[in-house]
Amino acid sequence: MCGFAGVVAPDGNLLSQQLVAMADAITHRGPDSAGYWTSEDNTVGLTHRRLAIVDLSEAGHQPMASGSGRYMLAYNGEVYNHQALRNELEQISPRQWRGHSDTETLLAAIEQWGLRLTLQKATGMFALALWDSHIKQLQLARDRFGEKPLYYGWQQGCFLFGSQLNALRAHPAFAPEINRDAIALLLRHNYIPAPYSIYQQIYKLLPGTILTLSADQQLHTDSYWSVREAMAQAAANPDNAPAQQQVAALEQTLKQAVAGQMVADVPLGAFLSGGVDSSLIVALMQAQSAKPVKTFSIGFDDPRFNEAEFAKAVAKHLGTEHTELYVTAEDALAVVPKLAEIYDEPFSDSSQIPTFLVSQIAQQHVTVSLSGDAGDELFCGYNRYLLTARLWHKLNRVPVLLRKMLAGVMTAIPVKGWNALGKILPLRARLSNLGDKLHKAAAVLACRDAEHLYLGLVSHWQNPEQVVLGSKEPLTVLTDPQRKACFTDPILQMMAQDTLSYLPDDILVKVDRAAMAVSLETRVPFLDHQVLEHAWRLPKAVKLNNGQSKWCLRQILYKYVPKDLIERPKMGFAVPLDAWLRGPLQQWAEGLLAEERLSREGFFDVATVRTMWQEHLSGKRNWQYQLWDILMFQAWYQRYH
């Protein structure tokens, strides 16, 4: 795992110190070494920070030239099947390799097959920049799912690109202009989805995409693989074998994916929460390892958020070398001031805090850690899938006009009025925060279809344009008919939409930035593209069986871990954010949400934010997620502007 950045300066005024500054800004992504390359005419420059994982020698140093000298490559990631690609290349013609890095393999493959076919043959996670000196062409590419980040854009006549915004900000041509539309997206989703970024004219390359900057400075994008199309094609060709045969075949596919991602020349381990996904990954690792796998978990004293005991029991049964650390509220709160710098762009999934803490623990023992991410999206793991489908089945029986009328009646009375009524109801019928509940229910009642209901349930703010001044919310995968998934089954549609949006733009961002902040490489076996294709060939009943989610994964896991160690309510990776904002974080939050400050900066409707903050402090409403969205933007803005 590494980081890279670069510049195309058509005027030929590229300076080496600019590349040094860009590399220094992402040292945490690659602390082992730095590399720089500039074209002879000073129009193109690449820089690279290396976290050595495969081939620790100088033979793996980047930027790296191809054997012919035509191509120069800066690359972040791992190609797990690179040895198979080498073997295929050697069948074509014998080669003299300089080392055994996957970077060298990629360059040889590109010379043989071109970039597009090479990426289609590759299994891995990566972002890369490739300069072709023969035709004066730059190509940027990103892996199929978007595990590795890549930003790009024109700034004052220079084309800048890099693994993180910090690298672009370090270039003197960078002229930051806040994208207010992106703030609206942040408030809806708690992340800014690709291709948008927090800055005007700076974009994230979409997963599975190659961007080409030609010699005449024209930009062109081309998809070499599509998650959307892969899901649709797999679902159109279902596996009709008996369920147990399907489970056995899935186990073999997962075993191969895990084995491929265990290849490293440095210490390797895995995150372990004790849930289905991480336990299965660790079980398959241990089954294929000659020595105990190193596993890591964190615990909290608050039982509502503590999974450490479950993880410890699974680790003991599997015989892993387990490390756990109980963190205090003070430990967690100490991370908050660092979040703006860690995430580099406003990002407000509060599980970013425990994700950073477990990465920090793991990095003290290993350089690579596998995770169980993506199991929920591929195998129907989120509770909201079943709950949303059931809710819509009931709502759809009521005419939409009647539902809208009822919603209007419920919202005509303010929250405060409903809450007062709730306090005078007979004791048996009394409800706390009745107004909160009824106003949320009204939003659900007014939904016109299952997709609209799903969007409402995954949105923090239902109408972010009303609070972000001067914004217009752009189309995303969830709202753009040209990009969104198209399954008639509401559960499959939600799974597909999460795989296209929530997974790459929230989960993978969260893990990449948290781990890279401490120079830890993370790998996600469920995101081997062959696993996704296999998962979508499975009938829904093999994933959701009699109301039990991830049924097929559980059947595999029970071969390695007793059922009673796994079966428990889903907990998630949460923190007591609501209480923190009323307690130890109150002063910090008040400073960021001060009326004078909000008015001066001019991004948010001051009255809305201040009312929400006061209601949260008083306990009248729980606005933890909505406030965290704004606080993470405010903290980021304070850090970088």
Side-chain angles (χ1 to χ4, degrees), residues 27 30 108 163 199 248 257 292 297 301 351 398 403 431-432 440 471 474 485 500 541 564 575 592-593 605:
T27 299
S163 298
Y199 292 119
S297 66
D301 291 331
S351 63
V398 181
R403 286 191 277 114
L431 291 171
S432 62
K440 288 178 181 177
S471 70
L500 291 168
D564 60 0
V575 292
L592 294 172
L593 301 178
D605 181 80

PDB file of all heavy atoms in Angstrom, residues 27 30 108 163 199 248 257 292 297 301 351 398 403 431-432 440 471 474 485 500 541 564 575 592-593 605:
ATOM      1  N   THR A  27       3.093  11.257   3.290  1.00  0.00           N
ATOM      2  CA  THR A  27       4.122  10.359   3.831  1.00  0.00           C
ATOM      3  C   THR A  27       3.513   9.209   4.601  1.00  0.00           C
ATOM      4  O   THR A  27       4.020   8.077   4.568  1.00  0.00           O
ATOM      5  CB  THR A  27       5.089  11.152   4.734  1.00  0.00           C
ATOM      6  OG1 THR A  27       5.717  12.167   3.953  1.00  0.00           O
ATOM      7  CG2 THR A  27       6.143  10.248   5.343  1.00  0.00           C
ATOM      8  N   GLY A  30       3.003   5.980   2.816  1.00  0.00           N
ATOM      9  CA  GLY A  30       4.176   5.209   2.436  1.00  0.00           C
ATOM     10  C   GLY A  30       5.415   5.713   3.123  1.00  0.00           C
ATOM     11  O   GLY A  30       6.180   6.508   2.574  1.00  0.00           O
ATOM     12  N   ALA A 108       5.044  -4.920 -17.326  1.00  0.00           N
ATOM     13  CA  ALA A 108       5.274  -5.900 -18.388  1.00  0.00           C
ATOM     14  C   ALA A 108       3.959  -6.276 -19.064  1.00  0.00           C
ATOM     15  O   ALA A 108       3.893  -6.429 -20.293  1.00  0.00           O
ATOM     16  CB  ALA A 108       5.956  -7.139 -17.810  1.00  0.00           C
ATOM     17  N   SER A 163      -3.388  10.457  -4.547  1.00  0.00           N
ATOM     18  CA  SER A 163      -4.132   9.521  -3.698  1.00  0.00           C
ATOM     19  C   SER A 163      -5.030  10.236  -2.706  1.00  0.00           C
ATOM     20  O   SER A 163      -6.066   9.693  -2.312  1.00  0.00           O
ATOM     21  CB  SER A 163      -3.160   8.617  -2.937  1.00  0.00           C
ATOM     22  OG  SER A 163      -2.399   7.840  -3.818  1.00  0.00           O
ATOM     23  N   TYR A 199     -14.195  20.054  -3.317  1.00  0.00           N
ATOM     24  CA  TYR A 199     -13.723  21.218  -4.064  1.00  0.00           C
ATOM     25  C   TYR A 199     -14.314  21.266  -5.470  1.00  0.00           C
ATOM     26  O   TYR A 199     -14.473  20.237  -6.130  1.00  0.00           O
ATOM     27  CB  TYR A 199     -12.196  21.197  -4.188  1.00  0.00           C
ATOM     28  CG  TYR A 199     -11.466  21.397  -2.890  1.00  0.00           C
ATOM     29  CD1 TYR A 199     -10.611  20.422  -2.393  1.00  0.00           C
ATOM     30  CD2 TYR A 199     -11.617  22.574  -2.152  1.00  0.00           C
ATOM     31  CE1 TYR A 199      -9.922  20.603  -1.208  1.00  0.00           C
ATOM     32  CE2 TYR A 199     -10.932  22.768  -0.963  1.00  0.00           C
ATOM     33  CZ  TYR A 199     -10.086  21.774  -0.492  1.00  0.00           C
ATOM     34  OH  TYR A 199      -9.416  21.963   0.686  1.00  0.00           O
ATOM     35  N   ALA A 248     -21.075 -25.054  -0.761  1.00  0.00           N
ATOM     36  CA  ALA A 248     -19.746 -25.652  -0.919  1.00  0.00           C
ATOM     37  C   ALA A 248     -18.935 -24.917  -1.985  1.00  0.00           C
ATOM     38  O   ALA A 248     -17.732 -24.667  -1.809  1.00  0.00           O
ATOM     39  CB  ALA A 248     -19.878 -27.131  -1.271  1.00  0.00           C
ATOM     40  N   ALA A 257     -10.005 -16.574  -2.615  1.00  0.00           N
ATOM     41  CA  ALA A 257      -9.842 -15.133  -2.454  1.00  0.00           C
ATOM     42  C   ALA A 257      -8.992 -14.818  -1.225  1.00  0.00           C
ATOM     43  O   ALA A 257      -8.092 -13.972  -1.272  1.00  0.00           O
ATOM     44  CB  ALA A 257     -11.208 -14.459  -2.337  1.00  0.00           C
ATOM     45  N   PRO A 292      -0.428 -19.609  13.863  1.00  0.00           N
ATOM     46  CA  PRO A 292      -1.586 -18.820  14.294  1.00  0.00           C
ATOM     47  C   PRO A 292      -1.662 -17.469  13.599  1.00  0.00           C
ATOM     48  O   PRO A 292      -0.663 -16.750  13.491  1.00  0.00           O
ATOM     49  CB  PRO A 292      -1.365 -18.651  15.802  1.00  0.00           C
ATOM     50  CG  PRO A 292      -0.509 -19.811  16.193  1.00  0.00           C
ATOM     51  CD  PRO A 292       0.393 -20.045  15.012  1.00  0.00           C
ATOM     52  N   SER A 297      -8.827  -6.769  17.962  1.00  0.00           N
ATOM     53  CA  SER A 297     -10.132  -6.174  18.253  1.00  0.00           C
ATOM     54  C   SER A 297      -9.976  -5.152  19.357  1.00  0.00           C
ATOM     55  O   SER A 297      -8.996  -5.167  20.110  1.00  0.00           O
ATOM     56  CB  SER A 297     -11.144  -7.253  18.667  1.00  0.00           C
ATOM     57  OG  SER A 297     -10.769  -7.835  19.896  1.00  0.00           O
ATOM     58  N   ASP A 301     -15.929  -0.242  27.582  1.00  0.00           N
ATOM     59  CA  ASP A 301     -16.535  -0.590  28.865  1.00  0.00           C
ATOM     60  C   ASP A 301     -18.061  -0.592  28.791  1.00  0.00           C
ATOM     61  O   ASP A 301     -18.722  -1.311  29.532  1.00  0.00           O
ATOM     62  CB  ASP A 301     -16.066   0.392  29.956  1.00  0.00           C
ATOM     63  CG  ASP A 301     -14.583   0.219  30.278  1.00  0.00           C
ATOM     64  OD1 ASP A 301     -14.083  -0.915  30.122  1.00  0.00           O
ATOM     65  OD2 ASP A 301     -13.939   1.206  30.659  1.00  0.00           O
ATOM     66  N   SER A 351     -18.349   5.822  13.021  1.00  0.00           N
ATOM     67  CA  SER A 351     -17.559   4.617  13.283  1.00  0.00           C
ATOM     68  C   SER A 351     -16.129   4.786  12.775  1.00  0.00           C
ATOM     69  O   SER A 351     -15.303   3.887  12.922  1.00  0.00           O
ATOM     70  CB  SER A 351     -18.216   3.385  12.651  1.00  0.00           C
ATOM     71  OG  SER A 351     -18.280   3.483  11.250  1.00  0.00           O
ATOM     72  N   VAL A 398     -51.875   0.937   1.466  1.00  0.00           N
ATOM     73  CA  VAL A 398     -52.637   2.158   1.740  1.00  0.00           C
ATOM     74  C   VAL A 398     -52.455   3.123   0.569  1.00  0.00           C
ATOM     75  O   VAL A 398     -51.322   3.380   0.154  1.00  0.00           O
ATOM     76  CB  VAL A 398     -52.158   2.830   3.050  1.00  0.00           C
ATOM     77  CG1 VAL A 398     -52.975   4.081   3.340  1.00  0.00           C
ATOM     78  CG2 VAL A 398     -52.223   1.837   4.201  1.00  0.00           C
ATOM     79  N   ARG A 403     -52.025   8.329   2.556  1.00  0.00           N
ATOM     80  CA  ARG A 403     -50.797   8.368   3.357  1.00  0.00           C
ATOM     81  C   ARG A 403     -50.256   9.793   3.452  1.00  0.00           C
ATOM     82  O   ARG A 403     -49.791  10.230   4.509  1.00  0.00           O
ATOM     83  CB  ARG A 403     -49.743   7.436   2.758  1.00  0.00           C
ATOM     84  CG  ARG A 403     -50.031   5.970   3.008  1.00  0.00           C
ATOM     85  CD  ARG A 403     -48.864   5.076   2.648  1.00  0.00           C
ATOM     86  NE  ARG A 403     -48.795   4.747   1.246  1.00  0.00           N
ATOM     87  CZ  ARG A 403     -47.835   5.136   0.422  1.00  0.00           C
ATOM     88  NH1 ARG A 403     -46.857   5.913   0.865  1.00  0.00           N
ATOM     89  NH2 ARG A 403     -47.847   4.782  -0.848  1.00  0.00           N
ATOM     90  N   LEU A 431     -45.461   7.788  25.733  1.00  0.00           N
ATOM     91  CA  LEU A 431     -44.285   7.610  24.885  1.00  0.00           C
ATOM     92  C   LEU A 431     -43.343   8.793  25.049  1.00  0.00           C
ATOM     93  O   LEU A 431     -43.768   9.945  25.002  1.00  0.00           O
ATOM     94  CB  LEU A 431     -44.692   7.495  23.411  1.00  0.00           C
ATOM     95  CG  LEU A 431     -45.444   6.229  22.991  1.00  0.00           C
ATOM     96  CD1 LEU A 431     -45.960   6.390  21.567  1.00  0.00           C
ATOM     97  CD2 LEU A 431     -44.542   5.012  23.077  1.00  0.00           C
ATOM     98  N   SER A 432     -42.077   8.499  25.244  1.00  0.00           N
ATOM     99  CA  SER A 432     -41.097   9.584  25.297  1.00  0.00           C
ATOM    100  C   SER A 432     -40.799  10.050  23.877  1.00  0.00           C
ATOM    101  O   SER A 432     -40.816   9.261  22.926  1.00  0.00           O
ATOM    102  CB  SER A 432     -39.806   9.101  25.968  1.00  0.00           C
ATOM    103  OG  SER A 432     -39.221   8.049  25.228  1.00  0.00           O
ATOM    104  N   LYS A 440     -40.867  11.522  12.180  1.00  0.00           N
ATOM    105  CA  LYS A 440     -40.100  10.569  11.371  1.00  0.00           C
ATOM    106  C   LYS A 440     -41.042   9.630  10.632  1.00  0.00           C
ATOM    107  O   LYS A 440     -40.830   9.299   9.459  1.00  0.00           O
ATOM    108  CB  LYS A 440     -39.145   9.772  12.262  1.00  0.00           C
ATOM    109  CG  LYS A 440     -37.961  10.584  12.773  1.00  0.00           C
ATOM    110  CD  LYS A 440     -37.079   9.750  13.695  1.00  0.00           C
ATOM    111  CE  LYS A 440     -35.914  10.582  14.225  1.00  0.00           C
ATOM    112  NZ  LYS A 440     -35.075   9.823  15.180  1.00  0.00           N
ATOM    113  N   SER A 471     -26.853  25.834  -2.298  1.00  0.00           N
ATOM    114  CA  SER A 471     -26.529  24.505  -2.816  1.00  0.00           C
ATOM    115  C   SER A 471     -27.653  23.938  -3.667  1.00  0.00           C
ATOM    116  O   SER A 471     -28.820  24.302  -3.501  1.00  0.00           O
ATOM    117  CB  SER A 471     -26.244  23.533  -1.665  1.00  0.00           C
ATOM    118  OG  SER A 471     -27.439  23.239  -0.949  1.00  0.00           O
ATOM    119  N   PRO A 474     -26.589  17.379  -6.291  1.00  0.00           N
ATOM    120  CA  PRO A 474     -26.400  16.721  -7.595  1.00  0.00           C
ATOM    121  C   PRO A 474     -26.970  15.295  -7.594  1.00  0.00           C
ATOM    122  O   PRO A 474     -27.247  14.710  -6.549  1.00  0.00           O
ATOM    123  CB  PRO A 474     -24.869  16.661  -7.744  1.00  0.00           C
ATOM    124  CG  PRO A 474     -24.307  17.458  -6.616  1.00  0.00           C
ATOM    125  CD  PRO A 474     -25.337  17.490  -5.545  1.00  0.00           C
ATOM    126  N   ALA A 485     -28.729   0.942  -9.947  1.00  0.00           N
ATOM    127  CA  ALA A 485     -29.059  -0.455 -10.232  1.00  0.00           C
ATOM    128  C   ALA A 485     -30.537  -0.576 -10.598  1.00  0.00           C
ATOM    129  O   ALA A 485     -31.338   0.303 -10.277  1.00  0.00           O
ATOM    130  CB  ALA A 485     -28.739  -1.315  -9.012  1.00  0.00           C
ATOM    131  N   LEU A 500     -22.998  -0.045  -4.846  1.00  0.00           N
ATOM    132  CA  LEU A 500     -22.580   1.011  -5.757  1.00  0.00           C
ATOM    133  C   LEU A 500     -22.271   2.329  -5.049  1.00  0.00           C
ATOM    134  O   LEU A 500     -21.563   3.175  -5.606  1.00  0.00           O
ATOM    135  CB  LEU A 500     -23.682   1.268  -6.794  1.00  0.00           C
ATOM    136  CG  LEU A 500     -23.921   0.154  -7.820  1.00  0.00           C
ATOM    137  CD1 LEU A 500     -25.217   0.402  -8.575  1.00  0.00           C
ATOM    138  CD2 LEU A 500     -22.753   0.054  -8.783  1.00  0.00           C
ATOM    139  N   ALA A 541     -32.783 -16.645  -1.740  1.00  0.00           N
ATOM    140  CA  ALA A 541     -33.115 -17.549  -0.637  1.00  0.00           C
ATOM    141  C   ALA A 541     -31.884 -18.187  -0.009  1.00  0.00           C
ATOM    142  O   ALA A 541     -31.935 -18.645   1.143  1.00  0.00           O
ATOM    143  CB  ALA A 541     -34.062 -18.646  -1.131  1.00  0.00           C
ATOM    144  N   ASP A 564     -23.169 -21.177  18.570  1.00  0.00           N
ATOM    145  CA  ASP A 564     -23.512 -20.357  19.738  1.00  0.00           C
ATOM    146  C   ASP A 564     -22.493 -19.234  19.994  1.00  0.00           C
ATOM    147  O   ASP A 564     -22.756 -18.326  20.779  1.00  0.00           O
ATOM    148  CB  ASP A 564     -23.682 -21.225  20.993  1.00  0.00           C
ATOM    149  CG  ASP A 564     -22.427 -22.008  21.356  1.00  0.00           C
ATOM    150  OD1 ASP A 564     -21.411 -21.888  20.639  1.00  0.00           O
ATOM    151  OD2 ASP A 564     -22.463 -22.746  22.352  1.00  0.00           O
ATOM    152  N   VAL A 575     -20.409   4.263  18.460  1.00  0.00           N
ATOM    153  CA  VAL A 575     -19.937   4.971  19.648  1.00  0.00           C
ATOM    154  C   VAL A 575     -21.109   5.768  20.210  1.00  0.00           C
ATOM    155  O   VAL A 575     -22.046   6.100  19.489  1.00  0.00           O
ATOM    156  CB  VAL A 575     -18.766   5.918  19.302  1.00  0.00           C
ATOM    157  CG1 VAL A 575     -17.533   5.132  18.904  1.00  0.00           C
ATOM    158  CG2 VAL A 575     -19.153   6.905  18.203  1.00  0.00           C
ATOM    159  N   LEU A 592     -17.490  25.155  17.271  1.00  0.00           N
ATOM    160  CA  LEU A 592     -17.668  24.983  15.830  1.00  0.00           C
ATOM    161  C   LEU A 592     -19.050  25.426  15.363  1.00  0.00           C
ATOM    162  O   LEU A 592     -19.232  25.781  14.189  1.00  0.00           O
ATOM    163  CB  LEU A 592     -17.436  23.519  15.441  1.00  0.00           C
ATOM    164  CG  LEU A 592     -16.002  22.997  15.620  1.00  0.00           C
ATOM    165  CD1 LEU A 592     -15.959  21.493  15.387  1.00  0.00           C
ATOM    166  CD2 LEU A 592     -15.034  23.705  14.672  1.00  0.00           C
ATOM    167  N   LEU A 593     -20.019  25.391  16.287  1.00  0.00           N
ATOM    168  CA  LEU A 593     -21.403  25.726  15.927  1.00  0.00           C
ATOM    169  C   LEU A 593     -21.835  27.093  16.455  1.00  0.00           C
ATOM    170  O   LEU A 593     -23.018  27.421  16.442  1.00  0.00           O
ATOM    171  CB  LEU A 593     -22.357  24.653  16.473  1.00  0.00           C
ATOM    172  CG  LEU A 593     -22.120  23.224  15.991  1.00  0.00           C
ATOM    173  CD1 LEU A 593     -23.113  22.272  16.647  1.00  0.00           C
ATOM    174  CD2 LEU A 593     -22.216  23.129  14.473  1.00  0.00           C
ATOM    175  N   ASP A 605     -27.621  27.401   7.149  1.00  0.00           N
ATOM    176  CA  ASP A 605     -28.693  28.206   7.716  1.00  0.00           C
ATOM    177  C   ASP A 605     -28.524  28.218   9.232  1.00  0.00           C
ATOM    178  O   ASP A 605     -28.706  27.184   9.895  1.00  0.00           O
ATOM    179  CB  ASP A 605     -30.052  27.620   7.334  1.00  0.00           C
ATOM    180  CG  ASP A 605     -31.186  28.447   7.882  1.00  0.00           C
ATOM    181  OD1 ASP A 605     -31.503  29.481   7.282  1.00  0.00           O
ATOM    182  OD2 ASP A 605     -31.750  28.049   8.933  1.00  0.00           O
TER     183      ASP A 605
END
